[in-house]
């Protein structure tokens, strides 16, 4: 797992200055300043004890500095200016100053460490909305597992409504977090389905259910008119939770966040236009 720190263009020079300061750090001077007992030890004739204490402190501080330097120079950490990151990872959305890692499906795209799995899950939902729209969806009702259970009893209410076109590309699924369910209404135009649509997908190229819908929608004699997909997020992508926590600017329990997320289900009730 690679950590990518995106900084302002002059920030990398600051890192080099810190490394230089560590290389030239005066350990002995630091230890002497931190030994207020030196005078009393000398006066009491415990020079040997003072020497041993001094040696232990010097070794400890030296090891601490070396450990700090090694963390600065870790091979799995890349520091890039914002401009360089945009050039190296051109498919990244909303790139800004912060700490990232590589996207699991696109080596030219970064994903923030903060709320890593939550961000990917929303991205997956958003792409599903776009794909269904481009297959000719007319309405799309998205519910979480709690709302889905209620709907079986006829108690489901739609709390958020968004009207979009077939070229929708917005973060619509975020509204489900706030209101539990979302109704997306497309313009209902007749669409020519791109035969390479799923081949261009990040998340659903090999998804059997969506491929089945895709093939049916392209079969003009007997198209699917409605379908309910269950979408989950259970992939870890070998994410190193311990390593990530070291580089987060805020105190987050990413593992607990992932566990909660992996238990959630979203149901996509799609009605296609005729």
């Amino acid at each position: 797992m690679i950590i990518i720190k995106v900084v302002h263009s002059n920030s990398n020079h600051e890192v080099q200055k810190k490394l230089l300061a560590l290389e030239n750090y005066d350990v002995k001077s630091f230890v002497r300043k931190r030994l207020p007992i030196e005078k009393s030890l000398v006066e009491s004739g415990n020079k040997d004890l003072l020497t041993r204490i001094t040696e232990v402190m010097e070794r400890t501080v030296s090891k601490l500095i070396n450990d700090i330097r090694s963390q600065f120079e870790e091979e799995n950490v890349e520091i890039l200016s914002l401009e360089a990151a945009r050039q190296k990872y051109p498919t990244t959305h909303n790139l800004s100053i912060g700490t990232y890692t590589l996207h699991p499906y696109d080596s030219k795209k970064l994903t923030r460490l903060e709320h890593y799995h939550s961000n990917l899950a929303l991205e997956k939902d958003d792409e599903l909305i776009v794909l269904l729209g481009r297959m000719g969806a007319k309405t799309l009702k998205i519910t979480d597992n709690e709302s889905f259970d209620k709907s079986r009893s006829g108690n489901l209410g739609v709390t958020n409504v968004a009207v979009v076109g077939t070229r929708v590309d917005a973060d619509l699924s975020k509204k489900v977090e706030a209101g539990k369910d979302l109704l997306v209404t497309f313009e209902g135009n007749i669409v020519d389905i791109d035969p390479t649509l799923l081949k261009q997908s990040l998340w659903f190229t090999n998804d059997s259910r969506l491929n089945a819908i895709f093939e049916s929608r392209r079969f003009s004699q007997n198209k699917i008119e409605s379908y309910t997909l269950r979408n989950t997020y259970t992939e870890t992508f070998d994410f190193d939770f311990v390593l990530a926590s070291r580089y987060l600017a805020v105190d987050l329990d990413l593992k607990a966040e992932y566990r909660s997320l992996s238990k959630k289900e979203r149901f996509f009730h799609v009605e296609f236009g005729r």
Side-chain angles (χ1 to χ4, degrees):
M1 178 175 164
I2 299 175
I3 304 296
I4 298 97
K5 182 74 175 177
V6 180
V7 299
H8 287 295
S9 57
N10 61 346
S11 297
N12 200 28
H13 299 299
E14 293 300 319
V15 172
Q16 297 303 321
K17 285 168 62 178
K18 291 174 183 177
L19 284 171
L20 184 62
L22 287 172
E23 289 175 358
N24 296 283
Y25 194 80
D26 189 347
V27 175
K28 291 185 178 180
S29 175
F30 171 84
V31 172
R32 285 195 299 269
K33 291 176 182 178
R34 300 305 188 274
L35 276 177
I37 59 174
E38 179 178 350
K39 184 176 180 181
S40 61
L41 286 173
V42 172
E43 290 175 349
S44 63
N46 289 322
K47 290 185 178 181
D48 290 341
L49 177 58
L50 175 63
T51 300
R52 289 197 297 272
I53 292 175
T54 302
E55 289 174 350
V56 170
M57 289 188 68
E58 287 179 358
R59 286 198 299 270
T60 302
V61 174
S62 294
K63 288 180 179 180
L64 175 62
I65 290 174
N66 287 334
D67 185 63
I68 294 172
R69 288 190 75 250
S70 69
Q71 291 192 32
F72 268 115
E73 297 173 338
E74 278 186 294
E75 292 183 0
N76 61 349
V77 178
E78 182 178 16
I79 300 175
L80 293 173
S81 68
L82 185 57
E83 293 76 13
R86 283 172 176 158
Q87 291 182 1
K88 188 171 183 178
Y89 303 104
T91 59
T92 305
H93 296 306
N94 304 316
L95 183 63
S96 62
I97 304 304
T99 309
Y100 296 79
T101 190
L102 292 176
H103 190 283
Y105 288 123
D106 186 353
S107 61
K108 295 294 184 182
K109 185 175 185 178
L110 299 179
T111 301
R112 281 192 179 273
L113 277 189
E114 188 177 348
H115 305 300
Y116 173 81
H117 287 290
S118 295
N119 290 333
L120 288 179
L122 288 172
E123 179 187 296
K124 183 179 181 181
D125 284 352
D126 288 333
E127 186 182 9
L128 183 54
I129 294 172
V130 173
L131 291 173
L132 290 172
R134 291 176 181 174
M135 290 183 201
K138 184 172 179 61
T139 61
L140 178 61
K141 184 187 293 183
I142 308 170
T143 64
D144 65 7
N145 46 357
E146 180 182 348
S147 294
F148 183 71
D149 290 338
K150 289 180 181 179
S151 69
R152 294 174 178 175
S153 302
N155 296 323
L156 177 64
V158 177
T159 57
N160 284 318
V161 177
V163 179
V164 297
T166 55
R167 298 183 61 83
V168 57
D169 216 7
D171 295 335
L172 289 170
S173 59
K174 289 182 180 179
K175 296 182 181 181
V176 183
E177 296 296 325
K180 294 295 184 184
D181 44 85
L182 170 71
L183 177 64
V184 181
T185 303
F186 294 86
E187 292 175 356
N189 299 328
I190 297 175
V191 296
D192 293 323
I193 302 175
D194 184 349
T196 66
L197 180 64
L198 293 188
K199 291 181 180 179
Q200 301 172 33
S201 167
L202 275 182
W203 290 93
F204 297 96
T205 299
N206 299 311
D207 185 278
S208 60
R209 294 167 303 165
L210 205 59
N211 271 275
I213 295 173
F214 175 70
E215 292 300 329
S216 171
R217 292 298 300 162
R218 296 184 66 217
F219 184 64
S220 59
Q221 286 87 345
N222 194 24
K223 294 181 180 180
I224 284 179
E225 294 186 353
S226 63
Y227 197 91
T228 297
L229 293 97
R230 181 174 65 93
N231 197 29
T232 60
Y233 181 95
T234 56
E235 304 93 337
T236 64
F237 300 114
D238 291 332
F239 186 78
D240 191 331
F241 293 95
V242 176
L243 178 64
S245 64
R246 286 169 47 193
Y247 292 93
L248 283 173
V250 293
D251 186 17
L252 288 174
D253 190 341
L254 291 178
K255 185 170 287 188
E257 184 176 84
Y258 168 76
R259 286 172 179 165
S260 174
L261 181 66
S262 65
K263 295 176 183 177
K264 291 184 178 180
E265 297 176 317
R266 281 188 179 172
F267 294 87
F268 289 68
H269 317 270
V270 58
E271 296 284 343
F272 291 99
R274 295 181 180 273

